[in-house]
Amino acid sequence: MYRPLKDMRILLTGTSSGIGWHLALELTRCGAAVLATARRRERLDELVQTVRSKLGDNARIETLAGDITSPAIRQQLIDQAVHSWQGIDVVINNAGAGAVGRFSDASPERLREVMEVDFFAPVELTRLALPLLKQGHKPAIMLIGSVLGHRAVPGKSEYCAAKFALRGWGESLRCELQPQHIDVIMLSPSTTQSEFFDRLIDTPANIRNKSLGSMPPAKVARAARLALQRNSRDVILSAGGRGLVWAGKFFPKIVDRILANYGQPN
Ligand SMILES: NC(=O)c1ccc[n+]([C@@H]2O[C@H](COP(=O)([O-])OP(=O)(O)OC[C@H]3O[C@@H](n4cnc5c(N)ncnc54)[C@H](OP(=O)(O)O)[C@@H]3O)[C@@H](O)[C@H]2O)c1
């Protein structure tokens, strides 16, 4: 099945930077109507200006600023989509945040916060959107996961847990929703050059900025747009990412040993 994006009504989270910013550009360029959200309002205004400067005033983008972990904001997003478009065809859960450092040094609050942003928020936003998706045109839910949701590494236990949980939930939902023709698409980037490592949750400054050898966010956004159009099931980006997942599956003990020796946080 090919999913044309023209006139698709798409709710996209995490659009103030990185992958989400570029994905908003990709989707509007294809003629989709995009409701873009993140906390930084000025960045969302800048995104609208950028889209309009590239595509003209007829480009279909609107925004709502707010914290995606807030139930009230999630409901406002749904209400705005209904008000503007009378429905939703696609939800893309992209907003996310990480944390780096040993589990034994970290607080319970850090775990809660990472799980709120990376797991509970996308799950609960999707719950609210489901009645609309059931009425949607070629409906889909896209989850931006991570290679670390396939193979965990040391020093990112909370983030790995959240992305594993997201993937498990998405896999279950995919089967549940198949009879209703709602697709669930999982896209798992590897390290991406974005603001992600500058905005880590409760992470000491000396272990920040580890984004070496990473993919440009525009490339990840393009892959996400293609996965949506081609209705891919589960996409792992980058050869390195696929290599890690493959090795972790077939040689788990060797990968454990290598990560224990060379992959520890500072
Ligand atoms: N960068 C990587 O290496 C990498 C690798 C694999 C997967 N990913 C995943 O890719 C996705 C996008 O990340 P990115 O690399 O593009 O990072 P990014 O540049 O930091 O973008 C994250 C986006 O999420 C939004 N966000 C974070 N917390 C939020 C909250 N509580 N409420 C609302 N919006 C929130 C941010 O906006 P505001 O701060 O303005 O709210 C921002 O727009 C995430 O799900 C991430 O886990 C990233």
Side-chain angles (χ1 to χ4, degrees):
M1 198 250 310
Y2 180 79
R3 177 176 289 105
L5 297 179
K6 185 156 170 32
D7 297 329
M8 278 269 165
R9 300 163 295 178
I10 302 180
L11 170 48
L12 171 62
T13 71
T15 54
S16 58
S17 62
I19 298 166
W21 171 285
H22 289 278
L23 189 50
L25 298 179
E26 287 276 340
L27 298 172
T28 47
R29 198 179 299 129
C30 293
V34 173
L35 171 50
T37 184
R39 287 167 299 186
R40 286 170 290 175
R41 188 183 304 274
E42 68 293 349
R43 288 287 190 92
L44 296 179
D45 293 344
E46 215 179 295
L47 174 65
V48 172
Q49 276 174 19
T50 307
V51 169
R52 297 217 189 290
S53 72
K54 285 177 188 288
L55 303 175
D57 287 341
N58 291 335
R60 297 172 70 194
I61 181 155
E62 53 185 276
T63 61
L64 178 82
D67 189 327
I68 200 68
T69 66
S70 151
I73 290 296
R74 293 193 293 261
Q75 186 60 55
Q76 279 180 40
L77 284 165
I78 301 296
D79 293 346
Q80 184 163 330
V82 170
H83 180 261
S84 300
W85 309 326
Q86 297 74 52
I88 296 178
D89 301 311
V90 175
V91 174
I92 304 180
N93 288 296
N94 166 71
V100 178
R102 287 171 198 278
F103 176 74
S104 53
D105 298 336
S107 65
E109 289 74 26
R110 183 165 98 169
L111 173 61
R112 293 268 158 198
E113 206 176 325
V114 172
M115 291 299 287
E116 285 295 342
V117 183
D118 292 334
F119 180 66
F120 289 114
V123 167
E124 295 305 338
L125 181 65
T126 305
R127 191 198 300 280
L128 290 180
L130 273 177
L132 298 172
L133 290 171
K134 285 177 185 165
Q135 313 292 323
H137 176 62
K138 294 196 173 178
I141 297 157
M142 176 175 268
L143 305 173
I144 304 299
S146 168
V147 164
L148 303 187
H150 293 260
R151 167 67 222 200
V153 298
K156 296 177 182 164
S157 59
E158 299 95 342
Y159 183 70
C160 292
K163 293 294 187 182
F164 263 75
L166 189 69
R167 189 162 72 88
W169 167 78
E171 212 162 88
S172 175
L173 201 67
R174 182 183 292 124
C175 305
E176 275 189 33
L177 297 178
Q178 216 169 67
Q180 290 150 72
H181 307 290
I182 303 175
D183 299 307
V184 176
I185 299 165
M186 182 94 207
L187 185 99
S188 300
S190 48
T191 319
T192 303
Q193 290 153 16
S194 67
E195 297 178 12
F196 188 84
F197 289 94
D198 306 323
R199 312 188 82 230
L200 295 168
I201 295 169
D202 196 12
T203 298
N206 63 326
I207 46 176
R208 286 174 188 224
N209 292 320
K210 284 193 171 177
S211 53
L212 237 58
S214 50
M215 289 179 80
K219 199 169 167 188
V220 179
R222 183 170 178 274
R225 189 257 296 161
L226 286 172
L228 185 59
Q229 288 173 317
R230 294 172 181 164
N231 204 30
S232 309
R233 182 182 181 277
D234 200 341
V235 182
I236 300 174
L237 294 182
S238 91
R242 284 189 292 275
L244 176 65
V245 174
W246 181 85
K249 192 169 173 187
F250 293 106
F251 305 102
K253 286 187 181 174
I254 296 175
V255 175
D256 285 350
R257 209 174 312 131
I258 293 170
L259 289 171
N261 285 327
Y262 303 106
Q264 300 285 0
N266 294 352

